[in-house]
Amino acid sequence: MNFEHSDKTLALIARLTAFMDEHVYPVEAERHAFTHDPANLWRPWPVLEDLKARAQAAGLWNLFLPHEYGRFSPGLGNLDYAPLAEIMGRVPWSSEIFNCSAPDTGNMEVLAKYGTPEQQERWLAPLLAGEIRSAYLMTEPRVASSDATNLETSIVRDGGDYVINGLKWWISGIMDPRCTLLVVMGKTDPAAPRHRQHSTIIVPRDTPGITITRNLTVFGSHNSPGGEAEVLLENVRVPAENLILGEGRGFEIAQGRLGPGRIHHCMRSIGQAQRALEIMARRVDGRIAFGRRLADQSSIRQDVARSYCEIEQARLLTLKAADQMDRYGARGARDLIAAIKIVAPRMAQEVADRAIQAHGGMGVSDDTPIASFFALNRFLRIADGPDEVHMSQLGKMKIEDYAAAAQRERGS
Ligand SMILES: Cc1cc2nc3c(=O)[nH]c(=O)nc-3n(C[C@H](O)[C@H](O)[C@H](O)COP(=O)(O)OP(=O)(O)OC[C@H]3O[C@@H](n4cnc5c(N)ncnc54)[C@H](O)[C@@H]3O)c2cc1C
């Protein structure tokens, strides 16, 4: 086992760290003030486009897209990308600067993997160039959407078109004025076997029949400029060639899309946990209560030690999952991807919780990013599949694996 990053990755780590130090950390407060000003709701922060141009010029662009995507990819693997995503994760909004932010990354992978040349030219090219943004419409308020086979939105063939009707919610990114592409999952054939009923279709954002019925807040905050929203689709008509991969392939596409997306979230969660721990250590080092530094209290030291252990454990597990993805694909690594999706957001939430406590009142304010890390990792335990669903699937997989091994032993 080799625990060193490759020379190529080490060089990128150095370049990305320098970029963050020079261009990102210094503007965190400015960006926060802009996006939290009610006058700027749903307005992109103007400085971001300049930062994107700088990142592109520095070769820090589309790093998430693995080499199997050939001409579209900058040539990294998941193992190479893991430490880079961790660095970006320390400032959660910064991944957009490098064109590495969800939901665009998942949509780019779908189009790169399954899109026709025409779909790739029309939608993938501007996404890869960072010229447009996109949203993924899967979740529905009327059904338990952690089971994607429940989705009810209808996609019905009508001559040379498909007509879409349904209600979606928790749609990230749709409020951003730069969002021009919707990737929608719905049902094309209710009579087909359960995993073949759904399809995925491209819907231009400006198609008639799309209404934002309300905005959703996460723990009371709008996630501006992209936001989360409830979206009504009423007789939304798009050409039949907008279907991705073919009828009945929606479930398969959702699985292919969410595997890499989940591990990217986990890599970033580790960055947030690491930064929360560093901020906590600096705070307790200088803060005096009852005549002693907080750093001298045993309970604080235990919190720091426990957090350090948990971050290291999660990081190693993430790197192992990334390595297995590079070797065997997302399907071959699905047990480890499920494991890391269970472990990393909860770990980051708990580390953030300890860091909040050590800061006293300051911990729940916006004077540090720790409270936002707590909120982000709390909802990540639901988004991209709730913890329980991953545990159920992982448990089933492992029981089958070990039972099959026992059967082989008995048979031999
Ligand atoms: C901030 C945020 C952003 C999001 N962005 C998007 C987006 O861009 N696009 C999109 O389509 N969706 C998005 N989602 C939706 C998210 O993916 C869903 O909320 C998630 O899949 C769960 O679906 P649900 O809300 O319908 O919960 P339900 O399916 O109703 O499940 C509710 C709860 O039931 C429990 N549960 C479910 N299954 C099991 C089981 N097998 N065993 C035990 N317990 C179980 C879990 O605790 C689960 O949390 C986002 C969500 C959030 C919070």
Side-chain angles (χ1 to χ4, degrees), residues 24 43 52 54 64 84 116 141 156 167 198 202 219 227 236 283-284 294-295 300 311 355 389 398:
V24 180
R43 278 182 59 206
K52 280 165 66 175
R54 284 174 191 270
F64 75 95
L84 306 171
T116 62
V156 176
L167 185 64
H198 294 85
I202 291 170
F219 296 125
V236 176
R283 178 73 171 176
V284 300
L294 289 176
I300 296 273
I311 293 169
V389 174
K398 289 298 125 188

mmCIF file of all heavy atoms in Angstrom, residues 24 43 52 54 64 84 116 141 156 167 198 202 219 227 236 283-284 294-295 300 311 355 389 398:
data_model
loop_
_atom_site.group_PDB
_atom_site.id
_atom_site.type_symbol
_atom_site.label_atom_id
_atom_site.label_comp_id
_atom_site.label_asym_id
_atom_site.label_seq_id
_atom_site.Cartn_x
_atom_site.Cartn_y
_atom_site.Cartn_z
ATOM 1 N N VAL A 24 -9.178 33.097 -2.425
ATOM 2 C CA VAL A 24 -10.469 32.649 -1.882
ATOM 3 C C VAL A 24 -10.644 33.041 -0.412
ATOM 4 O O VAL A 24 -11.587 33.764 -0.072
ATOM 5 C CB VAL A 24 -10.655 31.122 -2.077
ATOM 6 C CG1 VAL A 24 -12.001 30.676 -1.498
ATOM 7 C CG2 VAL A 24 -10.586 30.774 -3.564
ATOM 8 N N ARG A 43 -29.048 36.614 -6.774
ATOM 9 C CA ARG A 43 -28.075 37.252 -7.687
ATOM 10 C C ARG A 43 -26.712 36.611 -7.473
ATOM 11 O O ARG A 43 -26.212 36.557 -6.344
ATOM 12 C CB ARG A 43 -27.948 38.743 -7.376
ATOM 13 C CG ARG A 43 -29.057 39.587 -8.002
ATOM 14 C CD ARG A 43 -28.826 41.048 -7.680
ATOM 15 N NE ARG A 43 -27.550 41.562 -8.160
ATOM 16 C CZ ARG A 43 -26.900 42.603 -7.614
ATOM 17 N NH1 ARG A 43 -27.385 43.218 -6.564
ATOM 18 N NH2 ARG A 43 -25.762 43.017 -8.119
ATOM 19 N N LYS A 52 -13.318 32.469 -11.580
ATOM 20 C CA LYS A 52 -13.391 31.316 -12.492
ATOM 21 C C LYS A 52 -12.360 31.467 -13.612
ATOM 22 O O LYS A 52 -11.659 30.498 -13.965
ATOM 23 C CB LYS A 52 -14.801 31.190 -13.086
ATOM 24 C CG LYS A 52 -15.790 30.522 -12.145
ATOM 25 C CD LYS A 52 -17.236 30.717 -12.559
ATOM 26 C CE LYS A 52 -17.611 30.053 -13.846
ATOM 27 N NZ LYS A 52 -19.062 30.185 -14.129
ATOM 28 N N ARG A 54 -9.608 33.102 -13.527
ATOM 29 C CA ARG A 54 -8.261 32.901 -12.976
ATOM 30 C C ARG A 54 -7.970 31.412 -12.767
ATOM 31 O O ARG A 54 -6.860 30.937 -13.021
ATOM 32 C CB ARG A 54 -8.143 33.607 -11.621
ATOM 33 C CG ARG A 54 -7.998 35.097 -11.708
ATOM 34 C CD ARG A 54 -8.042 35.678 -10.305
ATOM 35 N NE ARG A 54 -8.155 37.108 -10.328
ATOM 36 C CZ ARG A 54 -7.124 37.948 -10.348
ATOM 37 N NH1 ARG A 54 -5.898 37.469 -10.338
ATOM 38 N NH2 ARG A 54 -7.309 39.244 -10.389
ATOM 39 N N PHE A 64 -12.675 17.363 -11.393
ATOM 40 C CA PHE A 64 -13.510 16.256 -10.900
ATOM 41 C C PHE A 64 -13.726 15.167 -11.945
ATOM 42 O O PHE A 64 -14.068 14.032 -11.604
ATOM 43 C CB PHE A 64 -14.898 16.800 -10.488
ATOM 44 C CG PHE A 64 -15.771 17.119 -11.683
ATOM 45 C CD1 PHE A 64 -16.673 16.198 -12.169
ATOM 46 C CD2 PHE A 64 -15.631 18.327 -12.348
ATOM 47 C CE1 PHE A 64 -17.445 16.478 -13.287
ATOM 48 C CE2 PHE A 64 -16.395 18.623 -13.458
ATOM 49 C CZ PHE A 64 -17.311 17.692 -13.927
ATOM 50 N N LEU A 84 -7.847 17.274 -3.589
ATOM 51 C CA LEU A 84 -8.173 18.578 -4.184
ATOM 52 C C LEU A 84 -9.585 18.992 -3.772
ATOM 53 O O LEU A 84 -9.830 20.145 -3.394
ATOM 54 C CB LEU A 84 -8.045 18.506 -5.708
ATOM 55 C CG LEU A 84 -6.677 18.000 -6.202
ATOM 56 C CD1 LEU A 84 -6.699 17.752 -7.706
ATOM 57 C CD2 LEU A 84 -5.571 18.997 -5.842
ATOM 58 N N THR A 116 -25.814 11.960 -26.362
ATOM 59 C CA THR A 116 -25.491 11.834 -27.790
ATOM 60 C C THR A 116 -24.513 12.957 -28.143
ATOM 61 O O THR A 116 -24.406 13.943 -27.413
ATOM 62 C CB THR A 116 -26.762 12.014 -28.641
ATOM 63 O OG1 THR A 116 -27.267 13.345 -28.418
ATOM 64 C CG2 THR A 116 -27.833 10.995 -28.290
ATOM 65 N N PRO A 141 -42.349 15.948 -3.646
ATOM 66 C CA PRO A 141 -42.939 16.066 -2.299
ATOM 67 C C PRO A 141 -43.983 14.995 -2.004
ATOM 68 O O PRO A 141 -44.210 14.658 -0.845
ATOM 69 C CB PRO A 141 -43.574 17.468 -2.307
ATOM 70 C CG PRO A 141 -43.721 17.839 -3.736
ATOM 71 C CD PRO A 141 -42.659 17.115 -4.494
ATOM 72 N N VAL A 156 -44.518 11.635 -21.147
ATOM 73 C CA VAL A 156 -45.363 10.887 -22.090
ATOM 74 C C VAL A 156 -45.002 11.278 -23.524
ATOM 75 O O VAL A 156 -44.927 12.465 -23.856
ATOM 76 C CB VAL A 156 -46.864 11.191 -21.810
ATOM 77 C CG1 VAL A 156 -47.757 10.507 -22.838
ATOM 78 C CG2 VAL A 156 -47.236 10.756 -20.392
ATOM 79 N N LEU A 167 -44.634 17.448 -9.958
ATOM 80 C CA LEU A 167 -44.188 18.435 -8.973
ATOM 81 C C LEU A 167 -42.888 17.925 -8.345
ATOM 82 O O LEU A 167 -42.831 16.789 -7.855
ATOM 83 C CB LEU A 167 -45.264 18.598 -7.887
ATOM 84 C CG LEU A 167 -45.011 19.683 -6.836
ATOM 85 C CD1 LEU A 167 -44.983 21.080 -7.473
ATOM 86 C CD2 LEU A 167 -46.075 19.641 -5.736
ATOM 87 N N HIS A 198 -38.662 4.378 -15.370
ATOM 88 C CA HIS A 198 -38.283 5.798 -15.366
ATOM 89 C C HIS A 198 -37.257 6.147 -16.445
ATOM 90 O O HIS A 198 -36.485 5.286 -16.871
ATOM 91 C CB HIS A 198 -37.740 6.180 -13.988
ATOM 92 C CG HIS A 198 -38.786 6.093 -12.926
ATOM 93 N ND1 HIS A 198 -39.080 4.916 -12.270
ATOM 94 C CD2 HIS A 198 -39.654 7.026 -12.461
ATOM 95 C CE1 HIS A 198 -40.063 5.134 -11.420
ATOM 96 N NE2 HIS A 198 -40.441 6.404 -11.521
ATOM 97 N N ILE A 202 -33.678 15.904 -20.941
ATOM 98 C CA ILE A 202 -33.137 17.266 -20.908
ATOM 99 C C ILE A 202 -34.270 18.258 -21.160
ATOM 100 O O ILE A 202 -35.009 18.125 -22.139
ATOM 101 C CB ILE A 202 -32.069 17.425 -22.012
ATOM 102 C CG1 ILE A 202 -30.833 16.591 -21.669
ATOM 103 C CG2 ILE A 202 -31.709 18.891 -22.237
ATOM 104 C CD1 ILE A 202 -29.827 16.491 -22.799
ATOM 105 N N PHE A 219 -32.556 25.214 7.360
ATOM 106 C CA PHE A 219 -32.360 25.801 8.691
ATOM 107 C C PHE A 219 -32.552 27.321 8.646
ATOM 108 O O PHE A 219 -31.778 28.090 9.216
ATOM 109 C CB PHE A 219 -30.977 25.450 9.256
ATOM 110 C CG PHE A 219 -30.774 23.980 9.498
ATOM 111 C CD1 PHE A 219 -29.707 23.305 8.929
ATOM 112 C CD2 PHE A 219 -31.654 23.263 10.308
ATOM 113 C CE1 PHE A 219 -29.510 21.937 9.153
ATOM 114 C CE2 PHE A 219 -31.471 21.902 10.538
ATOM 115 C CZ PHE A 219 -30.399 21.247 9.965
ATOM 116 N N GLY A 227 -30.044 28.309 -4.574
ATOM 117 C CA GLY A 227 -31.252 28.008 -3.820
ATOM 118 C C GLY A 227 -31.746 26.585 -3.950
ATOM 119 O O GLY A 227 -31.214 25.780 -4.712
ATOM 120 N N VAL A 236 -44.995 20.397 -19.986
ATOM 121 C CA VAL A 236 -43.692 20.871 -20.472
ATOM 122 C C VAL A 236 -43.306 20.001 -21.670
ATOM 123 O O VAL A 236 -43.160 18.780 -21.541
ATOM 124 C CB VAL A 236 -42.636 20.782 -19.350
ATOM 125 C CG1 VAL A 236 -41.262 21.167 -19.874
ATOM 126 C CG2 VAL A 236 -43.032 21.660 -18.171
ATOM 127 N N ARG A 283 -8.612 28.622 18.646
ATOM 128 C CA ARG A 283 -9.439 29.312 19.634
ATOM 129 C C ARG A 283 -9.100 28.868 21.062
ATOM 130 O O ARG A 283 -8.910 29.686 21.956
ATOM 131 C CB ARG A 283 -10.914 29.011 19.333
ATOM 132 C CG ARG A 283 -11.903 29.623 20.293
ATOM 133 C CD ARG A 283 -12.026 31.107 20.076
ATOM 134 N NE ARG A 283 -13.115 31.674 20.838
ATOM 135 C CZ ARG A 283 -13.389 32.957 20.883
ATOM 136 N NH1 ARG A 283 -12.648 33.824 20.205
ATOM 137 N NH2 ARG A 283 -14.395 33.399 21.596
ATOM 138 N N VAL A 284 -9.028 27.561 21.291
ATOM 139 C CA VAL A 284 -8.828 27.080 22.660
ATOM 140 C C VAL A 284 -7.406 27.348 23.147
ATOM 141 O O VAL A 284 -7.153 27.407 24.355
ATOM 142 C CB VAL A 284 -9.172 25.572 22.814
ATOM 143 C CG1 VAL A 284 -10.624 25.324 22.451
ATOM 144 C CG2 VAL A 284 -8.250 24.683 21.978
ATOM 145 N N LEU A 294 -8.410 27.210 27.742
ATOM 146 C CA LEU A 294 -9.345 26.116 27.414
ATOM 147 C C LEU A 294 -8.557 24.892 26.935
ATOM 148 O O LEU A 294 -8.944 23.749 27.201
ATOM 149 C CB LEU A 294 -10.327 26.549 26.314
ATOM 150 C CG LEU A 294 -11.403 27.573 26.715
ATOM 151 C CD1 LEU A 294 -12.231 27.957 25.489
ATOM 152 C CD2 LEU A 294 -12.309 27.010 27.803
ATOM 153 N N ALA A 295 -7.425 25.151 26.260
ATOM 154 C CA ALA A 295 -6.610 24.045 25.743
ATOM 155 C C ALA A 295 -6.080 23.145 26.859
ATOM 156 O O ALA A 295 -5.660 22.013 26.603
ATOM 157 C CB ALA A 295 -5.443 24.605 24.932
ATOM 158 N N ILE A 300 -11.649 19.372 26.577
ATOM 159 C CA ILE A 300 -11.351 20.024 25.284
ATOM 160 C C ILE A 300 -10.312 19.194 24.535
ATOM 161 O O ILE A 300 -10.421 18.949 23.330
ATOM 162 C CB ILE A 300 -10.830 21.459 25.523
ATOM 163 C CG1 ILE A 300 -11.914 22.325 26.162
ATOM 164 C CG2 ILE A 300 -10.268 22.056 24.247
ATOM 165 C CD1 ILE A 300 -12.861 23.017 25.226
ATOM 166 N N ILE A 311 -11.412 12.265 11.770
ATOM 167 C CA ILE A 311 -11.105 12.836 10.440
ATOM 168 C C ILE A 311 -10.133 11.915 9.695
ATOM 169 O O ILE A 311 -10.316 11.610 8.516
ATOM 170 C CB ILE A 311 -10.510 14.258 10.579
ATOM 171 C CG1 ILE A 311 -11.555 15.220 11.119
ATOM 172 C CG2 ILE A 311 -9.975 14.752 9.238
ATOM 173 C CD1 ILE A 311 -10.984 16.576 11.551
ATOM 174 N N ALA A 355 -16.534 21.853 17.727
ATOM 175 C CA ALA A 355 -15.882 23.154 17.504
ATOM 176 C C ALA A 355 -16.830 24.289 17.894
ATOM 177 O O ALA A 355 -16.397 25.300 18.457
ATOM 178 C CB ALA A 355 -15.451 23.275 16.043
ATOM 179 N N VAL A 389 -30.819 4.606 4.136
ATOM 180 C CA VAL A 389 -30.915 3.888 2.855
ATOM 181 C C VAL A 389 -29.553 3.287 2.513
ATOM 182 O O VAL A 389 -29.454 2.128 2.090
ATOM 183 C CB VAL A 389 -31.410 4.846 1.741
ATOM 184 C CG1 VAL A 389 -31.373 4.165 0.381
ATOM 185 C CG2 VAL A 389 -32.809 5.353 2.070
ATOM 186 N N LYS A 398 -23.300 -6.736 2.260
ATOM 187 C CA LYS A 398 -22.307 -7.447 3.066
ATOM 188 C C LYS A 398 -22.839 -8.807 3.520
ATOM 189 O O LYS A 398 -22.103 -9.800 3.546
ATOM 190 C CB LYS A 398 -21.874 -6.592 4.257
ATOM 191 C CG LYS A 398 -21.036 -5.405 3.881
ATOM 192 C CD LYS A 398 -19.716 -5.812 3.209
ATOM 193 C CE LYS A 398 -19.512 -5.176 1.859
ATOM 194 N NZ LYS A 398 -18.360 -5.656 1.093
#
